[in-house]
Amino acid sequence: MAATLLQAHDVSDLCIGKPALRWLPPSSTVADAAAELEGAEAIAVWDGEEGSDVAGRVCMADVLLFLCAGANLASPAAALQATLSDLLAAAAPPPVRRIEPDASVLEAVDSLLGGAHSLVVPIRERWRRAGRAELCWLTLEDVVRFFLSSIGLFSPTASRSVSDLGVVRPAANLAVAAGDSALSALPLLSRQPTSPSALCSSDEDNDGKRCVASPCARRGKRGPFSSRAMGWRPAAEAIVCRRGSSLVAVMVQAMAHRATHVWVVDEEGEERELVLVGVVGLLDVLRVLRHHLHQPPPI
């Protein structure tokens, strides 16, 4: 039944109501991108021509990482005048892939699992000036949200725990010590393909595992782990689950808080302190749902 869902829906069904993406040509400066990103989650590096490829997707985190990298940190004014081509060359980001509106949802899923950072879809029905193409973003979050709306078709996979499904990944490459310098986090942030803000700050006790909060987190009345948002929202607390949390519960958490990663914690010791044991990313979730399509239906 889940496979039938994917065959019955085109990519255009996931793009209903989406605005045209903002874009700048590759020759624009990093300063131009910073200004254009005011009020926008991301911009496309594109020449605006019908049928031409989008060179990349740039968000404010990419701009900040570029400004803090190497010699750019010593001369931020000069770095702001670098071109977006220079920024993309330095970052080596995962590719942005174009996909047609009449393509199947399964094709979009396989493109994301194949390494695409995000997808661009032509908007054909929208009024536009002659010769001027318009595209919209289709992201990993959009696809996972689409699956969540029909999650019953993925039973019993969706009700199994994230630990049982094997989607809890080690978080060593996503964690920094609370006392480390901010610059020490840059190499980790630059290696995250789906969200450059997905890091966890941790207090290093005897075994170095006790987790405190996400990079933007603050301690609130409910403690360092609560159900409040994380990621690009400022002063937010980490989104966490347990090893026994179901896949659908993790999906709901991620979608409700616009998070690309959900931290997995557990209690240890006599004081039952929460420790970071891993992380579940939306790409892991999508891979499990894609694998579900190959399984025989339950009897």
Side-chain angles (χ1 to χ4, degrees):
M1 292 180 65
T4 303
L5 170 72
L6 296 181
Q7 294 169 357
H9 288 275
D10 294 338
V11 166
S12 59
D13 295 330
L14 280 65
C15 299
I16 295 174
K18 277 185 165 289
L21 55 75
R22 295 189 185 183
W23 61 274
L24 288 172
S27 58
S28 298
T29 67
V30 174
D32 294 332
E36 186 67 22
L37 283 165
E38 288 292 332
E41 181 181 330
I43 60 170
V45 182
W46 183 40
D47 61 15
E49 296 300 321
E50 186 87 45
S52 63
D53 292 332
V54 171
R57 185 175 190 266
V58 174
C59 65
M60 188 60 78
D62 297 313
V63 171
L64 295 176
L65 287 172
F66 180 76
L67 295 177
C68 294
N72 292 343
L73 187 61
S75 183
L80 284 169
Q81 298 309 308
T83 67
L84 293 183
S85 292
D86 296 330
L87 185 152
L88 292 178
V96 172
R97 293 181 183 165
R98 178 185 174 114
I99 190 167
E100 296 304 317
D102 57 357
S104 69
V105 174
L106 185 59
E107 186 176 337
V109 169
D110 289 341
S111 293
L112 291 168
L113 292 178
H117 179 279
S118 53
L119 309 175
V120 290
V121 184
I123 302 176
R124 291 176 175 170
E125 70 279 6
R126 185 187 295 270
W127 175 90
R128 61 177 186 244
R129 292 177 294 172
R132 177 63 68 187
E134 284 191 340
L135 306 173
C136 70
W137 292 118
L138 186 63
T139 65
L140 176 61
E141 293 93 322
D142 294 323
V143 176
V144 173
R145 187 177 295 107
F146 172 75
F147 283 153
L148 183 59
S149 68
S150 304
I151 197 62
L153 299 178
F154 292 90
S155 178
T157 298
S159 60
R160 294 172 60 187
S161 72
V162 291
S163 178
D164 185 34
L165 290 168
V167 296
V168 180
R169 292 186 288 110
N173 64 336
L174 289 171
V176 294
D180 288 348
S181 69
L183 289 177
S184 68
L186 293 181
L188 301 182
L189 287 167
S190 62
R191 290 200 296 266
Q192 302 315 310
T194 56
S195 174
S197 60
L199 281 188
C200 189
S201 172
S202 62
D203 252 348
E204 292 194 76
D205 56 11
N206 293 334
D207 56 11
K209 294 191 299 183
R210 187 161 60 87
C211 182
V212 177
S214 62
C216 305
R218 64 184 178 197
R219 290 182 178 269
K221 295 181 179 179
R222 291 173 290 177
F225 295 106
S226 75
S227 59
R228 294 180 61 186
M230 65 159 289
W232 54 83
R233 295 186 181 184
E237 296 172 347
I239 302 302
V240 301
C241 68
R242 302 298 180 100
R243 296 184 221 236
S245 298
S246 67
L247 185 72
V248 64
V250 172
M251 292 172 68
V252 169
Q253 281 183 287
M255 293 298 98
H257 299 286
R258 299 190 68 194
T260 58
H261 293 72
V262 176
W263 305 107
V264 184
V265 298
D266 208 346
E267 294 179 348
E268 288 188 2
E270 295 182 358
E271 298 183 2
R272 311 300 293 172
E273 287 186 324
L274 289 178
V275 297
L276 178 67
V277 297
V279 63
V280 176
L282 288 187
L283 200 61
D284 305 310
V285 171
L286 189 61
R287 188 172 289 108
V288 166
L289 297 178
R290 178 67 175 88
H291 180 71
H292 173 94
L293 301 179
H294 297 296
Q295 305 305 306
I299 300 176

